[in-house]
Amino acid sequence: MTKKRFAKQSEVIMTEMVLPNDTNTLNNLMGGKLMHWMDVVAAIAAQKHSTRIVVTASADSISFKHPIALGNVVTLKAKVTRAFNSSMEVFIEVFAEDIPASKKITTHRAFFTFVAVDQGGRPIEVPEVEPETEEEIELYEGALRRRQLRLVLAKRMDPKDAIELKSIFNLDDKKEEI
Ligand SMILES: CC(C)(COP(=O)(O)OP(=O)(O)OC[C@H]1O[C@@H](n2cnc3c(N)ncnc32)[C@H](O)[C@@H]1OP(=O)(O)O)[C@@H](O)C(=O)NCCC(=O)NCCS
């Protein structure tokens, strides 16, 4: 296994401004444009961690709670939370700022998964992540559970093997109770 890398080494901060071409008919940012920015910032974080070509394997559910208005400044922060064999989970946070009104809100949080590949598109091994801060440790610890959930949903893992997931729902205990 290649040498570990600190989570902070993969951090990327990207700033964009919502321009007329990015908006819907209500003058709010189009969801697809935001997902594009999220994909780009997260891919750069995964590249920084792995120093490899990366491809998007999955994007966990993204909900659009707060609209982002025309003219807002959008900041996207991305960091690798944990690496497995060839895949890496990336945490993305999105903030929208109305600078003249001095208002800044967190609008989205999401997890994307990237896979490092060679020139032929075959998955290759990536370094492990070394979390340092309290937040990085919490994200690192939750990553295994989230990986199992997304692999079960993608029918790439048998739910019976999702040990970490089962432990949070206490499924075995419930079966015994029934
Ligand atoms: C992602 C991809 C490289 C996986 O290739 P594969 O032949 O299925 O390889 P494997 O089964 O060995 O899986 C490789 C890794 O991908 C992960 N993976 C595959 N599908 C996944 C999914 N839906 N969600 C999360 N992780 C996934 C596996 O868990 C594995 O991780 P690990 O090595 O850390 O254990 C391949 O499916 C691909 O190239 N997809 C297209 C990527 C792309 O074009 N993205 C742009 C968006 S359209």
Side-chain angles (χ1 to χ4, degrees):
M1 163 64 67
T2 14
K3 209 167 152 251
K4 285 187 180 186
R5 287 174 66 82
F6 292 112
K8 67 170 175 232
Q9 288 178 276
S10 65
E11 188 170 86
V12 182
I13 298 175
M14 189 168 114
T15 308
E16 298 281 348
M17 181 182 260
V18 181
L19 296 173
N21 261 353
D22 306 326
T23 60
N24 60 21
T25 47
L26 291 172
N27 279 341
N28 292 321
L29 178 64
M30 294 275 288
K33 185 74 194 182
L34 178 65
M35 287 191 277
H36 171 72
W37 289 339
M38 292 168 92
D39 196 25
V40 172
V41 75
I44 299 170
Q47 271 199 6
K48 281 182 77 175
H49 178 76
S50 61
T51 62
R52 296 290 188 173
I53 301 167
V54 299
V55 294
T56 317
S58 73
D60 292 3
S61 60
I62 307 170
S63 49
F64 297 95
K65 209 169 166 192
H66 301 286
I68 302 179
L70 175 65
N72 276 189
V73 171
V74 180
T75 304
L76 299 103
K77 271 174 72 175
K79 207 189 304 192
V80 175
T81 62
R82 188 163 178 164
F84 296 93
N85 302 303
S86 63
S87 68
M88 294 154 279
E89 183 193 72
V90 182
F91 179 50
I92 307 145
E93 283 176 294
V94 182
F95 308 92
E97 191 170 4
D98 179 343
I99 296 176
S102 301
K103 274 193 199 148
K104 187 173 182 179
I105 54 165
T106 304
T107 59
H108 301 82
R109 288 197 169 102
F111 294 96
F112 281 33
T113 302
F114 288 81
V115 175
V117 293
D118 64 16
Q119 292 292 339
R122 287 172 294 269
I124 42 174
E125 203 181 4
V126 294
E128 282 178 42
V129 171
E130 177 85 61
E132 294 176 290
T133 65
E134 210 172 297
E135 188 196 33
E136 286 169 2
I137 293 166
E138 199 181 313
L139 287 166
Y140 179 93
E141 284 172 354
L144 189 56
R145 187 173 71 230
R146 289 187 295 273
R147 169 184 160 93
Q148 291 182 351
L149 180 59
R150 68 177 73 93
L151 292 181
V152 167
L153 291 175
K155 299 201 183 319
R156 284 181 157 265
M157 179 180 261
D158 188 325
K160 286 202 297 292
D161 300 327
I163 311 290
E164 201 75 13
L165 256 189
K166 277 201 259 181
S167 71
I168 56 164
F169 292 118
N170 263 338
L171 292 181
D172 287 340
D173 295 354
K174 289 219 174 80
K175 214 186 271 169
E176 276 162 30
E177 280 168 25
I178 292 164

